[in-house]
Amino acid sequence: MSTIRMTMSQAIVRFLSQQYVERDGVERRFVNGVFGIFGHGNVTGLGQALEEIGSDLPYYRAQNEQAMVHTATAFAKLNNRLKILACTSSVGPGATNMITGAATATVNRLPVLLLPGDTFASRLPHPVLQQLEHPMHQDVSVNDALRPVCRFWDRIARPEQLLASLPEAMRILADPAEAGAVTLAMPEDVQTEAYDYPAHFFEKRVRHIPRPVPAEEVLREAVACLRGVSRPLIVAGGGAIYSEASAELAAFAAGFGIPVAETQAGKGVLPWNHPWNVGPVGSTGGLAANRLAAQADCVIALGTRLSDFTTASHTAFQHPEIRFIGINVGAMDAHKMGALPLVGDARATLAVLRGRLKADGYRAQPAYGDEVGRLKGLWDDEVNRQCTVASPSVLTQANLIGIVNDASGPRDVVVCAAGGMPGDLLKLWRPLDPKGYHVEYGYSCMGYEIAGGLGAKMADPSREVYVLVGDGSYLMLHTEIVTSILEGKKLIIVVVDNGGFQCIKGLQASCGSPAFGNELRYRSQATGRLDGDYAALDFAKNAESLGAKAYRATTAAELRQALGLAKQEPRTTVVHAWVDRDARVPGYESWWDVPVAEVTGRETVQSAQEQYQAARQRQRFYY
Ligand SMILES: Cc1ncc(C[n+]2csc(CCOP(=O)(O)OP(=O)(O)O)c2C)c(N)n1
Ligand SMILES: [Mg+2]
C-alpha cells in the first residue's frame, strides 16, 4: 500500500479538497473553502498546512468566529446544503465564540464543519494560555461545550484517527437528514504530528445524495387519508427549498387544488403570486393561510420543523378531526404532531404521492378553490395596504420593506434573522425565486444578518444581496462589513433604526409591562431608568469608517434614492434608515405562547395573564 507522510493538518487540507457530492447527476465540489481566525492552536498546524498545500481550498480571514460560522451557514443554505465551508479557530475563546454559530447551523439543519484548535493531547505543557482547566477531567476542554450544539463531535487525539473521523464527518455533513454543525477538535500538538497516510485516502471521493421515498404502506395510507378530507393544506418549509421541489410542488398544488402556506424557511418555494400560494402561516402568518389553517382537516407538513411560529404555538389548527401527513427527510420532523410519517426527500416524495393520487382520481372540491382564491385576494390587498407609504416624512418598517422589495431584482436575495423584521418580512416580502428569501428564523440569531449576507453573496455573486438589520443586531455584530469589502463581495445593508429592541419592547407591552430595558436611551437622572433621550447613533459614519459607502434615509424618497445609488456602487453599501418606533404590522388571527407572571402587583400584567390563560385554551396537542 502506498502511503504519503504528512501532518495531521496537511492530511485534513488534502482530504477536504477531494470531497465532492452529486445529486440529480450534477457533481459539485463539497468543501469550498476555509474561514478562520488564527491564534495559537491553529496557526502553526492547520494554518501551516493551508499556506503550503491549500491552494485548492481558499482561505478567508474573518473578524469574529461567531460571524464566520454564520457566513458558512448562509453559504450552505443558499447552496441547498450541497456546498459547504469549514471554519477554524484557535484554542479557547476563538473556539467558544463558534458555539452560537454552531447552534444556529444545527437548529436550521445546515451543514458547517468546525475545526477548533484544542489543548495538547500530550497534556505535558498544561495549563496553556487560554486553557480552562477542569479539576477532575483532564480530557475535557472548552471545545466539549460544542458537543450539544453539533450533530457530530470528535477530538482527533492521534493523527491516524482522521482515517475514521473525517469520512464520518463528511457522511453527516452531506446527509440532508443529519445535516448540522460538525466539530473535529484538533489538539495543537497532534495538528503538527506526522503519519504515513494511505494514498487512496486522498483520492477524489464523490458522495451521492439520494432522494429517498417512503415505504409503500405509508404512501397507501396517505392516499387513503387525503381521499377522506375536504380542506387539505400544505405547509411548506425549508426542506422543500433544499430539495428543489418548487416545480413539483406547483404541479401538486395546482393539480389537486391544494393551497400551499409557507414558513420562514419555506417562503419562496412558490413565487408569491402563484395562484395556490396563500402566504405565510402561524404566529407571524397572514390572513389567508391562517384562516385556511384554522379549518384545515388535513395538513401536509412538507419539509418543515413545525416550530411554534409555524403552528402558532399549537393553536393554528383547530379542526377537531385534523390529520397530519409529515413529509420530511428527517424522521424526527416527519413524526411531529402525530403525523403519518412519510420519511423521504420532499421532491421525490411529492412526485410519487402525486402519481398515486392521480391514479386514485383525487381532486379537492372546486368550492374550496374559490375560497382559496378569495382569501388570497384579501391577503394581497392587505400586503399592499401595509406597504403603501402614508407619510411623506416618516417611514414605517412595512413601508421600508415595500421599498426595498421594489428596488430588488427578481433573483436578488433578502437576508435577515432577528428582531421585528423577520415577522414583517414573512408577511410582506414578495419573493419570485426560491433562493430570494433568506431569513434565519430557526435560532433567530442576532448577528447572523451581515455575516449571513456575506455567505449568501459568496454562494452566488450574480445576485444582489440585501441585508435588513435592526439597530440592535447591527450593534451586536456588524464587523464582517470589513470582510465583505476585503473580499470584494458587495452587500447592500439597510440598518433599520427604531431606537433599540423594539420588538421585545412590543412583546413586553403586550404582556402588560411598561417599557423597560429595551430601548437605546440614556439613563435618566430623574427615574434612574433607561428612559432619557434616545441615543443618536450615526451608523452611516460607523460603516464608512469600515470602508463601506454609506447613505442616510428618513423618507421614502430618500430611501429609494439611496437604494438606487447603492445598486450602482461596486462595494458594500450601508443605508442608515430611520423608521417609526411604534408603527407595527398587526398580527392576523394568530398567537404566540409567551408566559406571563402568575403573581403581580400590576393590573396590566394581571389582565395579560388572564388573556394568556384564555388563549392557552385553544392549544391542541397531537400525539
Ligand atoms: C444573540 C441574540 N440575543 C438576543 C436575542 C433576543 N432578541 C430578539 S430580537 C431582539 C432585539 C433586536 O433589536 P433590533 O435588531 O433593533 O430589532 P427590532 O426589535 O428593533 O426590530 C433581541 C434582543 C436574539 N434573538 N439573539
Ligand atoms: Mg431596533
Side-chain angles (χ1 to χ4, degrees):
M1 183 178 69
S2 80
T3 58
I4 309 176
R5 186 161 180 81
M6 58 177 101
T7 67
M8 177 265 233
S9 302
Q10 292 157 1
I12 291 182
V13 170
R14 181 74 65 89
F15 177 89
L16 293 182
S17 63
Q18 292 303 316
Q19 303 304 304
Y20 290 76
V21 295
E22 172 278 325
R23 187 169 79 175
D24 305 328
V26 183
E27 196 177 288
R28 296 171 176 86
R29 178 79 183 272
F30 189 45
V31 187
N32 288 264
V34 180
F35 255 91
I37 293 187
F38 288 138
H40 96 92
N42 68 341
V43 71
T44 57
L46 194 63
Q48 190 282 328
L50 285 163
E51 190 284 321
E52 188 182 351
I53 62 162
S55 56
D56 276 353
L57 208 57
Y59 180 72
Y60 305 99
R61 179 196 177 285
Q63 317 307 318
N64 172 295
E65 290 90 354
Q66 176 188 328
M68 74 189 180
V69 184
H70 291 329
T71 302
T73 303
F75 180 87
K77 183 174 169 78
L78 208 91
N79 278 305
N80 292 328
R81 308 193 273 220
L82 299 169
K83 288 183 176 190
I84 68 164
L85 293 169
C87 296
T88 181
S89 78
S90 54
V91 164
T96 48
N97 265 358
M98 296 204 291
I99 295 172
T100 300
T104 307
T106 299
V107 168
N108 287 284
R109 282 69 163 137
L110 291 167
V112 293
L113 173 60
L114 308 185
L115 302 168
D118 210 334
T119 48
F120 285 69
S122 75
R123 320 238 198 284
L124 292 176
H126 284 186
V128 296
L129 175 70
Q130 302 174 311
Q131 176 176 353
L132 188 154
E133 296 162 89
H134 194 292
M136 289 166 71
H137 302 292
Q138 296 233 349
D139 61 344
V140 169
S141 80
V142 293
N143 283 345
D144 288 78
L146 281 156
R147 285 179 190 259
V149 296
C150 284
R151 293 301 305 249
F152 179 76
W153 188 100
D154 199 3
R155 178 176 281 124
I156 311 300
R158 300 168 63 101
E160 65 268 38
Q161 203 183 314
L162 283 184
L163 299 170
S165 277
L166 268 177
E168 189 58 5
M170 290 299 120
R171 179 184 75 74
I172 306 266
L173 288 163
D175 183 344
E178 303 265 353
V182 162
T183 291
L184 297 181
M186 310 178 302
E188 53 184 303
D189 47 352
V190 184
Q191 280 181 57
T192 62
E193 286 170 15
Y195 181 75
D196 294 314
Y197 290 95
H200 68 80
F201 189 58
F202 305 109
E203 282 165 14
K204 179 175 170 181
R205 169 85 192 258
V206 183
R207 232 163 274 274
H208 301 284
I209 314 287
R211 291 186 176 276
V213 290
E216 231 8 84
E217 302 72 32
V218 200
L219 282 167
R220 240 180 278 136
E221 210 175 315
V223 171
C225 170
L226 280 162
R227 203 186 289 139
V229 300
S230 55
R231 302 182 63 85
L233 174 71
I234 297 168
V235 174
I241 293 183
Y242 304 142
S243 87
E244 298 171 284
S246 294
E248 181 54 48
L249 178 59
F252 192 98
F256 303 125
I258 304 180
V260 179
E262 54 196 13
T263 72
Q264 283 281 11
K267 188 176 176 76
V269 64
L270 295 184
W272 73 272
N273 52 5
H274 186 280
W276 291 96
N277 180 355
V278 292
V281 69
S283 304
T284 47
L287 259 184
N290 280 350
R291 285 197 184 159
L292 289 166
Q295 294 185 49
D297 53 6
C298 178
V299 167
I300 302 176
L302 177 71
T304 165
R305 303 168 52 233
L306 290 164
S307 79
D308 61 347
F309 265 76
T310 296
T311 69
S313 303
H314 286 250
T315 61
F317 311 110
Q318 291 289 327
H319 194 289
E321 314 270 292
I322 190 164
R323 293 282 313 271
F324 291 89
I325 296 174
I327 300 179
N328 208 297
V329 73
M332 177 174 82
D333 290 325
H335 280 78
K336 284 175 181 168
M337 309 283 272
L340 173 70
L342 270 62
V343 180
D345 170 75
R347 185 172 101 186
T349 304
L350 269 187
V352 275
L353 191 58
R354 184 154 69 95
R356 304 297 155 88
L357 286 170
K358 224 165 158 184
D360 199 58
Y362 176 83
R363 172 94 207 167
Q365 284 144 21
Y368 186 48
D370 296 344
E371 185 184 339
V372 168
R374 192 177 47 76
L375 284 169
K376 181 171 172 58
L378 269 184
W379 175 238
D380 287 347
D381 292 346
E382 173 62 10
V383 172
N384 288 336
R385 202 173 66 84
Q386 288 293 332
C387 292
T388 302
V389 179
S391 156
S393 55
V394 189
L395 279 170
T396 64
Q397 182 157 288
N399 296 161
L400 180 141
I401 290 172
I403 291 167
V404 178
N405 203 162
D406 287 347
S408 66
R411 289 186 72 254
D412 292 347
V413 185
V414 67
V415 180
C416 191
M421 184 58 82
D424 290 359
L425 278 175
L426 181 67
K427 289 170 192 159
L428 307 179
W429 192 266
R430 290 176 154 170
L432 289 165
D433 180 282
K435 303 311 309 182
Y437 184 84
H438 183 130
V439 176
E440 185 284 294
Y441 210 64
Y443 209 45
S444 186
C445 187
M446 291 170 74
Y448 181 89
E449 297 89 345
I450 292 170
L454 174 60
K457 185 70 179 179
M458 288 174 69
D460 190 349
S462 73
R463 299 173 193 252
E464 199 82 80
V465 172
Y466 290 84
V467 173
L468 297 186
V469 55
D471 53 321
S473 280
Y474 184 89
L475 286 173
M476 194 172 279
L477 189 47
H478 59 264
T479 42
E480 298 314 309
I481 287 176
V482 175
T483 318
S484 82
I485 289 166
L486 298 183
E487 294 291 346
K489 295 287 180 283
K490 179 201 171 184
L491 306 173
I492 298 178
I493 299 167
V494 181
V495 186
V496 185
D497 189 343
N498 56 13
F501 303 158
Q502 288 300 340
C503 74
I504 309 295
K505 190 184 93 175
L507 180 61
Q508 186 171 51
S510 73
C511 294
S513 289
F516 173 67
N518 283 307
E519 290 182 296
L520 206 56
R521 299 170 79 162
Y522 289 95
R523 191 169 297 281
S524 108
Q525 296 299 321
T527 64
R529 292 186 175 217
L530 291 171
D531 56 5
D533 288 343
Y534 283 90
L537 302 189
D538 191 338
F539 294 117
K541 250 191 197 160
N542 175 275
E544 269 166 4
S545 77
L546 302 177
K549 182 79 189 160
Y551 299 98
R552 299 177 181 83
T554 51
T555 67
E558 285 167 1
L559 181 59
R560 286 192 193 103
Q561 193 189 14
L563 291 170
L565 293 167
K567 283 198 271 185
Q568 313 294 323
E569 185 63 40
R571 69 186 150 143
T572 290
T573 303
V574 173
V575 181
H576 182 179
W578 287 264
V579 297
D580 189 311
R581 289 186 197 115
D582 301 309
R584 291 169 201 281
V585 180
Y588 294 93
E589 303 178 9
S590 200
W591 184 68
W592 184 36
D593 188 339
V594 180
V596 183
E598 286 186 345
V599 179
T600 168
R602 269 192 203 281
E603 258 176 44
T604 44
V605 175
Q606 180 158 2
S607 111
Q609 156 67 210
E610 281 155 21
Q611 284 168 32
Y612 173 67
Q613 292 304 347
R616 282 186 63 187
Q617 302 306 309
R618 286 174 58 79
Q619 285 184 309
R620 302 280 177 272
F621 298 99
Y622 314 89
Y623 303 101

